[in-house]
Amino acid sequence: MNFANNQAIYLQIAEEICSYILLKKWAQEERIPSIRELSVQLEVNPNTILRSFDTLQNEGIIYNKRGIGYFVSADGMEKAKIYLKQKFTDEDMPQFFKRMNLLSIPFNELETYYKKFINKNKN
Amino acid sequence: MNFANNQAIYLQIAEEICSYILLKKWAQEERIPSIRELSVQLEVNPNTILRSFDTLQNEGIIYNKRGIGYFVSADGMEKAKIYLKQKFTDEDMPQFFKRMNLLSIPFNELETYYKKFINKNKN
Amino acid sequence: MNFANNQAIYLQIAEEICSYILLKKWAQEERIPSIRELSVQLEVNPNTILRSFDTLQNEGIIYNKRGIGYFVSADGMEKAKIYLKQKFTDEDMPQFFKRMNLLSIPFNELETYYKKFINKNKN
Amino acid sequence: MNFANNQAIYLQIAEEICSYILLKKWAQEERIPSIRELSVQLEVNPNTILRSFDTLQNEGIIYNKRGIGYFVSADGMEKAKIYLKQKFTDEDMPQFFKRMNLLSIPFNELETYYKKFINKNKN
DNA sequence: GTGGTCTAGACCACC
DNA sequence: GTGGTCTAGACCACA
């Protein structure tokens, strides 16, 4: 039994940053908070934030200006979406479908729930 | 940012027990491990286990024989399924659908992924 | 005046590993020494070696088997060559050409030296 | 693995001084900074600077006036160029060509890179 | 044993 | 101020 979320903190933070970009809380070409700011705010070690940034930089989602800070790439939103979608299909979906099978929920039934969800949130 | 799973531990354990019942690791009318056993195994305070058992007993999934232990109800499997399904539709599904919307994944696409999942796990 | 090589240690190590692969000291699909072994041998912190390995893994030059170690990729030699060549053309060549200009060495003259070098090392 | 530049510090400084002369930062017959000044500026022991000056004096690149200081020779620029060129052809070139061979870069290709370099820096 | 993660803290270069 | 590098050492999961 694992009570804590088993995913590495730096990956959780990376995903969170992507979500922020997708939600347009940080626009493209905009500077994101510094490593030190985030490390204080999220109460983690600066090195952990750096690792998140490194990961996102490798994905081309953010880039870096020496001595200034990190910025969302010009195509950061698109790339953030690709990054998150990959994680979603590879990790969340299989777990979700597994649960459906355990609970004998047929795929048809899922659509019903989906329509309800859409109706409730369409406003 | 929440690094730890935000759900109460005793509820996590309750769900886990239901899963075990559904997977037939503990048959109906079978005695389940004692509070002490589980508290040692899961490295949790015995009171936490007791709360899980209370919750499941209220749902009619397990019952208690004084001085002997807890047992899976005669209709425990069915009730465990209902219990888990409720959690699944109320908590997991909305979160899942929300993510789909954020990532602009149409419902049609989900079916494709579902079929892939089924094919991979049908053996 | 910088007396020490200004390139980061973990990048120097990454290049050194690539050279080893190109020189076939570590064959493709072969396991390379563990992080701990190299950290002792090279007298650097294990984290520094890990960073070198991370870099090379991102380049697809090496890959990892959990709990076993790092291995040279099937196409590791080719990718190591590409990696080193990029570094060579981007960093070493400009510096080399700059020196040629400072010393007023025309390109023709370089060819003479090159032929001498080849003759001396062709055996 | 050598993390530090393997060349003796006093030789590195000697080369640096030659570069300065070639770049006309110190003109011929001009006095160059005192041993004490340089030792402070470069954070090096005065004896190390003295050894650099000795080396350059032996090459006839600089000369000494008792009680006054060191001066660039009348033909210092030419001799500095010869000194640096010798180092360049004897030490840098072989290493450079060796790398070219390791990376299977033919000499023709080098010319392409050279032209690009010239074009970029011709302004 | 292996690698993976995280913390604490230091020093550096660049702006 | 910013990020970049490196060390020391801890704890974890996996095999």
Side-chain angles (χ1 to χ4, degrees):
Chain A
M1 175 104 31
N2 56 335
F3 305 131
N5 190 330
N6 52 357
Q7 189 164 224
I9 293 177
Y10 81 94
L11 289 177
Q12 291 180 48
I13 294 174
E15 285 201 38
E16 195 67 14
I17 291 172
C18 286
S19 296
Y20 265 55
I21 294 172
L22 276 196
L23 293 169
K24 297 183 182 176
K25 294 188 178 176
W26 295 330
Q28 286 172 166
E29 300 293 359
E30 186 180 325
R31 183 176 170 279
I32 67 183
S34 77
I35 289 179
R36 285 173 176 102
E37 276 176 34
L38 284 178
S39 75
V40 169
Q41 193 181 318
L42 303 179
E43 298 180 317
V44 294
N45 189 284
N47 281 326
T48 303
I49 304 289
L50 176 60
R51 239 179 142 180
S52 307
F53 283 11
D54 258 6
T55 304
L56 295 174
Q57 194 168 34
N58 276 336
E59 298 286 336
I61 296 166
I62 63 178
Y63 66 93
N64 161 275
K65 288 187 194 170
R66 277 292 193 86
I68 300 180
Y70 281 85
F71 295 75
V72 178
S73 301
D75 54 356
M77 223 178 98
E78 190 192 355
K79 285 185 174 165
K81 189 182 267 189
I82 293 171
Y83 179 74
L84 283 184
K85 190 168 174 180
Q86 168 117 22
K87 294 256 176 186
F88 187 65
T89 54
D90 290 1
E91 294 162 19
D92 297 308
M93 277 191 185
Q95 198 180 334
F96 187 84
F97 292 148
K98 202 172 161 190
R99 206 84 236 252
M100 279 177 62
N101 280 356
L102 178 67
L103 300 174
S104 319
I105 300 174
F107 191 80
N108 297 338
E109 202 176 321
L110 194 62
E111 192 162 11
T112 315
Y113 287 112
Y114 183 72
K115 282 175 181 165
K116 277 185 198 163
F117 173 82
I118 293 300
N119 275 325
K120 209 185 326 186
N121 296 68
K122 73 180 172 187
N123 306 320
Chain B
M1 177 99 29
N2 56 334
F3 303 134
N5 193 326
N6 51 1
Q7 188 165 220
I9 293 178
Y10 82 94
L11 287 176
Q12 291 180 48
I13 293 174
E15 284 200 40
E16 196 67 14
I17 292 171
C18 286
S19 296
Y20 264 56
I21 294 172
L22 276 195
L23 292 168
K24 299 184 183 174
K25 292 187 178 177
W26 296 330
Q28 287 171 169
E29 297 295 1
E30 186 182 325
R31 183 178 169 277
I32 66 183
S34 75
I35 289 180
R36 281 183 190 162
E37 277 178 283
L38 284 177
S39 74
V40 169
Q41 193 181 318
L42 303 179
E43 297 177 331
V44 166
N45 190 293
N47 284 326
T48 304
I49 305 291
L50 178 59
R51 252 184 120 179
S52 308
F53 282 11
D54 260 3
T55 304
L56 296 174
Q57 195 166 28
N58 281 337
E59 298 287 335
I61 297 166
I62 64 177
Y63 65 92
N64 171 270
K65 288 188 193 171
R66 286 271 175 104
I68 301 181
Y70 284 85
F71 294 74
V72 178
S73 302
D75 55 354
M77 222 177 100
E78 191 190 355
K79 285 187 173 165
K81 188 182 269 190
I82 292 171
Y83 178 74
L84 284 185
K85 190 168 175 179
Q86 168 130 15
K87 294 257 177 185
F88 186 64
T89 55
D90 289 1
E91 294 163 20
D92 298 310
M93 277 192 185
Q95 196 179 334
F96 188 85
F97 292 148
K98 199 173 163 192
R99 205 85 243 247
M100 279 178 62
N101 279 356
L102 179 67
L103 299 175
S104 321
I105 300 174
F107 192 80
N108 297 339
E109 203 176 319
L110 194 62
E111 191 161 12
T112 316
Y113 288 113
Y114 184 72
K115 283 176 181 164
K116 278 185 196 162
F117 173 81
I118 294 301
N119 274 324
K120 211 188 322 188
N121 296 68
K122 72 180 172 189
N123 305 321
Chain C
M1 175 103 30
N2 56 334
F3 304 132
N5 191 328
N6 52 356
Q7 186 163 227
I9 293 178
Y10 81 93
L11 289 176
Q12 291 180 48
I13 294 174
E15 285 201 37
E16 195 67 15
I17 292 172
C18 285
S19 296
Y20 264 56
I21 294 171
L22 277 195
L23 292 168
K24 298 183 182 175
K25 292 186 178 176
W26 294 331
Q28 286 171 168
E29 299 295 359
E30 187 181 325
R31 184 177 170 276
I32 68 183
S34 78
I35 289 180
R36 285 176 176 102
E37 275 175 34
L38 284 178
S39 75
V40 170
Q41 194 180 319
L42 303 179
E43 297 180 318
V44 294
N45 189 286
N47 281 326
T48 303
I49 303 290
L50 176 61
R51 240 179 140 182
S52 308
F53 283 10
D54 258 4
T55 305
L56 295 175
Q57 195 168 33
N58 277 337
E59 298 287 336
I61 296 167
I62 62 177
Y63 66 93
N64 161 276
K65 287 187 194 168
R66 276 295 193 84
I68 301 181
Y70 281 87
F71 295 75
V72 178
S73 301
D75 54 355
M77 223 178 98
E78 191 191 354
K79 284 185 174 166
K81 190 182 268 189
I82 292 171
Y83 179 72
L84 283 184
K85 190 169 175 180
Q86 168 117 22
K87 294 256 177 186
F88 186 65
T89 55
D90 290 0
E91 294 162 21
D92 297 306
M93 277 192 185
Q95 197 180 336
F96 188 84
F97 292 148
K98 201 173 162 189
R99 207 86 233 253
M100 279 177 63
N101 279 356
L102 178 68
L103 299 175
S104 319
I105 300 174
F107 191 79
N108 296 339
E109 203 177 319
L110 194 63
E111 192 161 11
T112 316
Y113 287 113
Y114 184 71
K115 283 174 180 163
K116 278 186 196 163
F117 173 82
I118 294 300
N119 275 324
K120 210 187 325 188
N121 295 70
K122 72 180 173 188
N123 306 319
Chain D
M1 177 98 30
N2 56 334
F3 304 134
N5 191 327
N6 51 3
Q7 190 167 217
I9 292 177
Y10 82 94
L11 287 176
Q12 290 181 49
I13 294 175
E15 284 200 40
E16 196 66 15
I17 293 172
C18 287
S19 295
Y20 264 56
I21 294 171
L22 275 195
L23 293 169
K24 299 183 182 176
K25 294 188 178 176
W26 296 330
Q28 288 172 166
E29 298 295 0
E30 185 181 326
R31 183 176 170 279
I32 66 182
S34 75
I35 289 180
R36 280 182 191 165
E37 278 179 283
L38 285 177
S39 74
V40 169
Q41 193 182 318
L42 303 179
E43 297 179 329
V44 166
N45 191 293
N47 283 325
T48 304
I49 306 291
L50 178 60
R51 252 184 119 178
S52 308
F53 282 11
D54 260 4
T55 305
L56 296 174
Q57 196 166 30
N58 280 337
E59 298 286 336
I61 296 166
I62 63 177
Y63 64 93
N64 171 270
K65 287 187 193 172
R66 285 273 175 102
I68 301 181
Y70 284 84
F71 293 74
V72 178
S73 302
D75 54 355
M77 221 177 100
E78 191 191 353
K79 284 186 172 165
K81 189 181 270 187
I82 293 171
Y83 177 75
L84 283 184
K85 190 168 174 180
Q86 170 129 14
K87 293 257 178 185
F88 187 63
T89 54
D90 290 2
E91 295 164 18
D92 297 312
M93 277 193 186
Q95 198 180 334
F96 188 85
F97 292 148
K98 200 173 161 190
R99 204 94 242 243
M100 280 177 61
N101 279 356
L102 178 67
L103 300 175
S104 321
I105 301 174
F107 192 80
N108 297 339
E109 203 174 319
L110 194 62
E111 192 163 10
T112 315
Y113 288 114
Y114 184 72
K115 283 175 180 164
K116 276 186 199 164
F117 174 81
I118 294 299
N119 275 325
K120 211 185 327 189
N121 296 67
K122 72 180 172 187
N123 307 321

